[in-house]
Amino acid sequence: MSKGTKDRLNPVKSILVSQPKPNDPNSPYFQLAEKYNLKIDFRQFIEVQAVSIKEFRKQKIDILKHTAVVFTSRNAIDHFFTICKELKIEMPADMKYFCISDQTAHYLQKYIVIRKRKLFVGQKTASDLFDYFKKHKSEKYLFPCSDIRKDEIPNYFTKSNIEFTEAVIYHTVAADLTDLRDIKYDVLAFFSPSGIKSLTHNFPDFKQNETRIAAFGPTTASEVRDQGLILDIEAPMPNAPSMTGALELYIKKANNLGD
């Protein structure tokens, strides 16, 4: 919880999570809702739009001139292989793949047989891959990404004089949220700067008032403040590594509940 928000500890009865509804019935969000008798809704605040083949060609990128591909999301994997299919490109067997997490690497199996490939997997963040990049400095990396992306990987490549090409393969745009105009929630939970920007894009006259805002990650938290909004709940924190953990700590205080 941010400093100076003690006077904003009003009871929490409803939360809007700016992500798709989890498929897992055991999701911690559902457990949180049941435990504290909360209304928790889910709504994607951003949409992903594929780059057309014509737009991709304008970037003048030769995919097969690269020896390694870096994936940081499922969206990147889907749109990259869609482009390959449309261009009738078959990835060579000796292509190396660097994935930001186990989940991303597992999703890659949708398109390639992983046991026959050279795969390098991080724990969760971009910096987890830096040691791999350092050990494979001679590779020619391709970094498929959105037009809105984090800077860590391109900055590392540039700083380390590692050859790479950034390929914009999809756009991240604000979803249409106009149907939410007259619906109020006690807490809005965000996971990316794009989600915050979508809020202000859809509702340029948005007044926060008693609505609490939760943010996951430093860049999301920074965007909340940059938009002149109050950040009430911040994650990850040492005592709350997840968004649901941070929400629960806040709810216990706001709803005046003990452990």
Side-chain angles (χ1 to χ4, degrees), residues 1-2 9 12 15 28-29 32 36 187 189-191 212-217 231-254:
M1 184 170 62
S2 299
L9 282 172
V12 174
I15 300 172
Y29 286 106
L32 191 69
Y36 296 103
V187 177
F190 294 95
F191 300 83
R212 270 61 54 82
I213 289 182
F216 189 89
L231 178 59
D232 300 278
I233 305 161
E234 191 167 359
M237 299 294 272
N239 59 345
S242 66
M243 175 60 86
T244 49
L247 287 170
E248 183 166 18
L249 287 177
Y250 182 87
I251 289 164
K252 284 181 179 179
K253 293 179 181 178

Side-chain angles (χ1 to χ4, degrees), residues 63-83:
I63 291 174
L64 295 179
K65 279 191 175 180
H66 299 81
T67 60
V69 186
V70 182
F71 289 120
T72 57
S73 70
R74 294 183 179 186
N75 279 325
I77 292 173
D78 282 335
H79 291 287
F80 175 74
F81 283 100
T82 296
I83 285 174

